[in-house]
């Protein structure tokens, strides 16, 4: 058999889609991005103003090594000169002192004179580039040239001092030998011919060769070209300020500020626990997002969207119902449990009502069960008429008196017909405050109500309290296994959505999808309600209740309770132990039970 209804699945994690989704999420933090751009613009203004009166002059010097043959191609200047050391020498205080003498700068201005100089070496060259920054163009050129001349002068003095020291050393070694040679020459002139004279003559020859070697070295040193270098480009007064200008500074600041703003937004996004997109919700629940209610939904109005001036809300509900109808997990059983994560169930109630109307519009027999027995409000907010009672509630031969319910516990057999306008009508089992909520939800009568979906062309929609505030929804999951989560993505954490998925899966149910909505009016960023604030506790026990046992008291002593104000919080003294609000473990749920 070929399955025609395919379940809607969570979107696959496609990397380009994730990147686009993340970029869209970054745009949510417009304040951070705007603040980054503002800081960047302020920095650009400061840069433009601070560099408006800054002038830079540049002079280039080519260094030379001492040589006796400048045209000898075998001589490598880079082997004779350490360009890095020369750069450090050019930045030294001795060069600055010499330049200060030439410029007439006092000792108080020496630090400022030295701080304005910058010396660089273009790659693969023997050039030192002297760059000087000053507040006026003429002063910048003057000081750059003074620094260049001071460096060349100091380098010339250093080379001359080195050569003179070497010449002096050779002379000191030569002079004793030359004196010895003179004495030996005098002795030879007095000696008679013979073997002794020949020996002295041989020694004289050796001394003359040694003295000649020293003289050759001295002559070579004295013949060296000691030019330290030459200025290839003298500094001239710059025609304009060195700064980028106010326009360029603002553009640069805006670009840097945008980068900083995006970085801050990305960091904020990484550490934000709330899901900021439909993809985050789908990944946390492992179920698709079936719809996003329009932002103009204001609450406080009628629950039914049909007939409103703005048709977008009704169409959004129809779209969700259409997607559910083509999900085989729902189409096979036609049972839907609508819950909110925590806090208020106001939007979840609107979703349950309008989905019921949408299913009724398609010709289905729809039964809406209000299983929120803590704050039942649907009967007072929907246009209802009294209808026939369910088959299981009719006692044979004894019809219930008019105006009274045949049962004392919910569900008591009361069934209302809701007029949904052009969509048609559907049945409503209104909720009523119960003495023991878990017992009422797990009763055989509630089970028979939910089994109405087994009839042909029937659909059952159940509204339950927030799943993280009470365990009521988990008591229904094994019978209404298709769960629809209604939430404001900005008011819940991703960990809460994952916990909901785990709780529903552990109870034997399946999350069919999620419906997202904007924050309700009066809620600050969707957090007007306390995150962990539960719904209204159960009603105060009347005289017909007995302590915490949850058993009914004497017949006839229980009086009907008035409908509460929607999502009203009871006073602390109204809480009765055993009314179900403090019950956590409802019963043992078997995995996979349907």
């Amino acid at each position: 058999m070929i399955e025609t209804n395919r379940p809607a699945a969570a979107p696959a994690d496609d990397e380009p889609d994730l990147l686009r989704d993340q970029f869209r999420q970054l745009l949510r933090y417009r304040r951070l991005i705007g603040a980054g751009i503002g800081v960047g613009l302020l920095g650009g203004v400061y840069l433009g103003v601070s560099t408006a009166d800054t002038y830079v002059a540049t002079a280039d010097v080519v260094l030379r090594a001492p040589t006796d043959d400048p045209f000898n191609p075998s001589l490598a200047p880079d082997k004779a000169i350490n360009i890095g050391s020369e750069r450090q020498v050019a930045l030294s205080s001795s060069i600055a002192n010499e330049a200060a003498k030439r410029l007439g700068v006092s000792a108080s201005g020496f630090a400022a004179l030295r701080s304005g100089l910058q010396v660089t070496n273009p790659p693969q060259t023997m050039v030192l580039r002297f760059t000087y920054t000053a507040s006026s163009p003429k002063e910048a050129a003057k000081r750059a040239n003074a620094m260049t001349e001071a460096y060349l002068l100091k380098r010339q003095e250093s080379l001359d001092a080195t050569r003179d020291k070497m010449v002096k050393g050779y002379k000191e070694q030569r002079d004793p030998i030359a004196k010895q040679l003179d004495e030996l020459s005098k002795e030879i002139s007095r000696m008679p011919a013979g073997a002794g004279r020949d020996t002295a003559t041989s020694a004289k020859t050796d001394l003359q060769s040694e003295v000649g070697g020293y003289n050759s070295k001295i002559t070579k040193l004295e013949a060296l070209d000691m030019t330290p270098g030459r200025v290839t480009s003298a500094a001239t007064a710059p025609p304009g300020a060195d700064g980028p200008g106010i326009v360029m500074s603002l553009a640069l600041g805006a670009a840097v500020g945008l980068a900083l703003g995006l970085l801050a937004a990305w960091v904020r996004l990484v550490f934000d626990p709330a899901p900021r997109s439909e993809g985050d919700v789908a990944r946390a629940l492992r179920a698709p997002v079936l719809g996003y209610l329009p932002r103009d939904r204001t609450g406080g109005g009628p629950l039914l969207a049909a007939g409103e001036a703005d048709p977008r809300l009704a169409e959004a509900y129809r779209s969700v119902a259409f997607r559910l109808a083509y999900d085989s997990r729902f189409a096979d059983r036609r049972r839907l449990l609508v819950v909110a994560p925590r806090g208020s169930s106001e939007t979840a109630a609107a979703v349950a009502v309008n989905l019921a109307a949408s299913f009724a519009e398609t010709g289905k027999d729809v039964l809406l069960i209000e299983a929120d027995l803590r704050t039942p409000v649907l009967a007072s907010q929907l246009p209802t008429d009294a209808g026939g009672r369910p088959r299981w509630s009719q006692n044979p031969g004894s019809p219930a008196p008019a105006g009274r319910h045949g049962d004392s516990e919910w569900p008591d057999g009361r069934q209302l017909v809701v007029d949904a306008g052009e969509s048609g009508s559907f049945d409503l089992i209104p909720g009523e405050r119960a003495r023991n909520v878990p017992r009422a939800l797990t009763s055989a009568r509630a089970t028979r109500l939910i089994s109405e979906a087994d009839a042909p062309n029937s659909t059952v929609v159940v509204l339950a309290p927030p799943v993280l505030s009470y365990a009521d929804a988990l008591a229904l999951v094994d019978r209404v296994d298709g769960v629809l989560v209604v939430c404001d993505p900005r008011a819940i954490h991703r960990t809460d959505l994952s916990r909901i998925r785990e709780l529903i899966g552990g109870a034997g149910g399946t999350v069919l999808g999620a419906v997202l909505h904007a924050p309700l009016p009066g809620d600050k960023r969707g957090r007007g309600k306390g995150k962990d604030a539960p719904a209204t506790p159960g009603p105060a026990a009347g005289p017909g209740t007995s302590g915490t046992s949850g058993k009914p008291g004497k017949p006839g002593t229980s009086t009907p309770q008035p409908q509460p104000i929607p999502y009203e919080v009871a006073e602390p003294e109204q809480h009765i132990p055993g009314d179900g609000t403090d019950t956590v473990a409802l019963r043992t749920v078997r995995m996979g039970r349907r």
Side-chain angles (χ1 to χ4, degrees), residues 475-493:
L476 302 167
V477 166
D478 62 336
R479 288 166 292 168
V480 191
D481 51 0
V483 181
L484 182 66
V485 180
V486 181
C487 65
D488 173 14
R490 298 192 179 189
I492 191 169
H493 294 173

Side-chain angles (χ1 to χ4, degrees), residues 117 173 193 272 300 310 331 386 425 448 498 538 563 572:
L117 177 65
Q173 296 178 43
D272 189 0
D310 188 358
S425 62
R448 288 196 296 271
S498 300
Q563 292 290 343

